[in-house]
Amino acid sequence: MLRHINLSAIMNYIRVEAPISRSMLAKKTGLNKATITNLVGELVQRNFIQEVGLETNGLGRPSMTLRLNPAAGFIIATEIGVDFVSVIGTDFLPKIIFQATEKTNPEMTVDDVLGILVKNIHQAHEACTKEIGDKCLGLALGVPGLVDYEEGVLLFAPNLKWKDIPLKQVLTSDFSAPVFIDNEANLATYGEYYFGAAAQHPDVLYLSAGVGLGGGILHNTQLLRGVNGMAGELGHFTMMPDGELCGCGNRGCWETLVSLRALFRYVEAALKVQTGSVLWDWTHGDLSQLSLDLIIAAAREGDPAALASLEKIGQFLGIGIASFINALNPDIVVFGGIMSDAWEFLEPVVDSEILKRALPWNRKGTRVVLAQHGNNACLMGGIATVFQAIISQPASA
Ligand SMILES: [Zn+2]
């Protein structure tokens, strides 16, 4: 048992701090050098780590440094979105070997979309095998809906209108590697913690705004799942009891105030009074042509309607974040999704709302930062999930 824990700890230090020497590992873990030599020997023998070069610190003999072995095997991460399927394959560093995205649409059948997914997984498998040999360490899939994480079943995806799809069963019938299914926002949260903007922050609040407002909560390095595994539906926090109707059936969810649809609503309302806005010219008077890019461009030109609308998004975003800072006391808040393209306009408003509304003790030291992986956050979370499954039990992987 202890040996397992130590192997796992060493592998994690090597992952985070590579290249690192055996003596530095001894210092970091508090284990003696003989134990480190022994455990490192086992990890080298299992192909998970490799010696990469000599390190001299100016004193004494130079020592050999270690890193993860890229050829330990490959990992495939996939995402089913509302109108796309994405797949990446990485080695064990992780360096991306294969990446593909294919357009789909919500009218397609489940079988059609899964067919595209499986075809792309096979292509990733082939490309990775060519590069580092035929050893798949695991396969992860993120989906936009409620997931029974243990059973690997997609319970409900409102924007796809999918219900009770046994995704894990489908994928394990085709692939022999371990399969992990999770909600895309949970995976994105984990990806930003493991490889991104929240690295080394054990308590993370992650938010992603675009078509909807999704989120995830990491507590003490673990995703908060709740009793049925459904925790993290932050976008459906009621903020306006009599507000707009939400896709979930409730009224006034946070998502109805912070999303692309909300932004377009604010802009259209502002344009009714601001007849001289550049947005009238740019859309040729057809407001169905509004896009986030146009609104950001208008804001950069100082257009009052665009600026006021983005300010409103920033306000409601900040009000919600302040409440969650009070409830969760995270040490970092990560903001991603397509709406983060407007961060230059949102950030000052969000910061001022937090300053106004969050308890000083709760917000002390909490920073709101931009997500690092953008559109790849969910896929990187899939890679991270497989990584963590191996690193937590290297002797049985
Ligand atoms: Zn809702």
Side-chain angles (χ1 to χ4, degrees):
M1 182 67 185
L2 190 61
R3 188 177 174 83
H4 281 260
I5 293 171
N6 287 337
L7 278 172
S8 170
I10 288 172
M11 226 168 134
N12 200 44
Y13 274 114
I14 294 173
R15 174 183 87 79
V16 175
E17 312 218 5
I20 183 170
S21 66
R22 287 173 177 79
S23 53
M24 189 52 83
L25 277 173
K27 211 183 263 176
K28 295 257 178 194
T29 57
L31 297 168
N32 68 48
K33 276 194 185 168
T35 309
I36 290 288
T37 302
N38 180 302
L39 295 170
V40 163
E42 176 170 347
L43 291 172
V44 169
Q45 198 218 334
R46 286 180 179 276
N47 248 338
F48 284 128
I49 61 174
Q50 63 177 188
E51 293 185 319
V52 271
L54 290 169
E55 174 194 79
T56 46
N57 55 6
L59 302 163
R61 275 193 303 145
S63 50
M64 200 55 101
T65 58
L66 304 156
R67 70 164 184 177
L68 296 179
N69 177 6
F74 59 86
I75 300 172
I76 297 176
T78 65
E79 178 178 5
I80 295 177
V82 175
D83 57 1
F84 68 90
V85 163
S86 277
V87 176
I88 59 172
T90 74
D91 66 17
F92 198 57
L93 281 180
K95 187 190 87 193
I96 295 176
I97 297 171
F98 175 92
Q99 176 147 26
T101 297
E102 206 165 312
K103 277 267 161 211
T104 59
N105 69 65
E107 308 309 319
M108 283 176 154
T109 65
V110 174
D111 284 347
D112 284 348
V113 175
L114 292 182
I116 292 173
L117 179 74
V118 168
K119 181 193 79 187
N120 277 281
I121 294 173
H122 277 297
Q123 285 170 355
H125 204 285
E126 205 172 295
C128 292
T129 300
K130 217 181 217 173
E131 183 118 350
I132 54 175
D134 188 8
K135 180 157 195 213
C136 184
L137 296 168
L139 174 62
L141 166 61
V143 285
L146 297 174
V147 173
D148 180 333
Y149 168 79
E150 307 262 319
E151 298 295 324
V153 175
L154 171 62
L155 300 174
F156 180 50
N159 294 319
L160 289 169
K161 300 186 184 71
W162 289 11
K163 238 178 163 175
D164 299 319
I165 316 289
L167 292 169
K168 188 172 180 172
Q169 201 183 313
V170 172
L171 293 178
T172 41
S173 70
D174 247 308
F175 302 96
S176 53
V179 171
F180 303 85
I181 314 285
D182 208 340
N183 165 271
E184 51 86 21
N186 271 346
L187 286 182
T189 307
Y190 204 61
E192 289 291 337
Y193 158 68
Y194 217 79
F195 300 120
Q200 310 307 312
H201 291 277
D203 285 88
V204 182
L205 170 63
Y206 172 82
L207 292 163
S208 157
V211 175
L213 180 63
I217 299 159
L218 195 83
H219 173 55
N220 197 15
T221 78
Q222 305 291 316
L223 281 167
L224 189 78
R225 295 193 179 274
V227 65
N228 296 326
M230 304 301 151
E233 292 297 325
L234 304 172
H236 300 287
F237 168 76
T238 303
M239 204 177 268
M240 292 260 177
D242 302 313
E244 298 282 324
L245 192 62
C246 179
C248 74
N250 182 32
R251 275 191 183 277
C253 290
W254 192 15
E255 171 169 305
T256 65
L257 297 159
V258 181
S259 58
L260 288 176
R261 205 178 305 161
L263 177 64
F264 297 151
R265 210 171 60 230
Y266 303 151
V267 170
E268 283 174 27
L271 288 179
K272 278 189 186 145
V273 286
Q274 194 200 326
T275 48
S277 168
V278 289
L279 286 169
W280 281 119
D281 298 338
W282 294 352
T283 57
H284 308 290
D286 174 8
L287 295 186
S288 70
Q289 301 297 309
L290 274 177
S291 68
L292 179 62
D293 287 346
L294 279 186
I295 295 167
I296 292 173
R300 284 186 185 143
E301 297 216 341
D303 184 74
L307 284 169
S309 304
L310 286 169
E311 186 176 348
K312 219 162 167 182
I313 293 281
Q315 254 168 10
F316 284 120
L317 184 60
I319 290 170
I321 291 176
S323 300
F324 283 110
I325 286 177
N326 283 348
L328 301 170
N329 187 207
D331 62 348
I332 196 164
V333 180
V334 181
F335 182 60
I338 187 79
M339 192 77 97
S340 64
D341 288 353
W343 188 234
E344 60 193 280
F345 300 103
L346 306 178
E347 185 180 22
V349 193
V350 167
D351 285 347
S352 103
E353 291 297 335
I354 292 171
L355 200 63
K356 253 194 292 189
R357 297 174 194 275
L359 292 161
W361 302 275
N362 293 48
R363 68 171 144 82
K364 194 174 162 209
T366 302
R367 289 178 307 132
V368 184
V369 300
L370 269 189
Q372 191 177 316
H373 290 299
N375 284 342
N376 272 353
C378 167
L379 294 170
M380 290 314 289
I383 301 289
T385 301
V386 177
F387 245 88
Q388 187 53 29
I390 291 164
I391 285 183
S392 62
Q393 287 188 309
S396 43

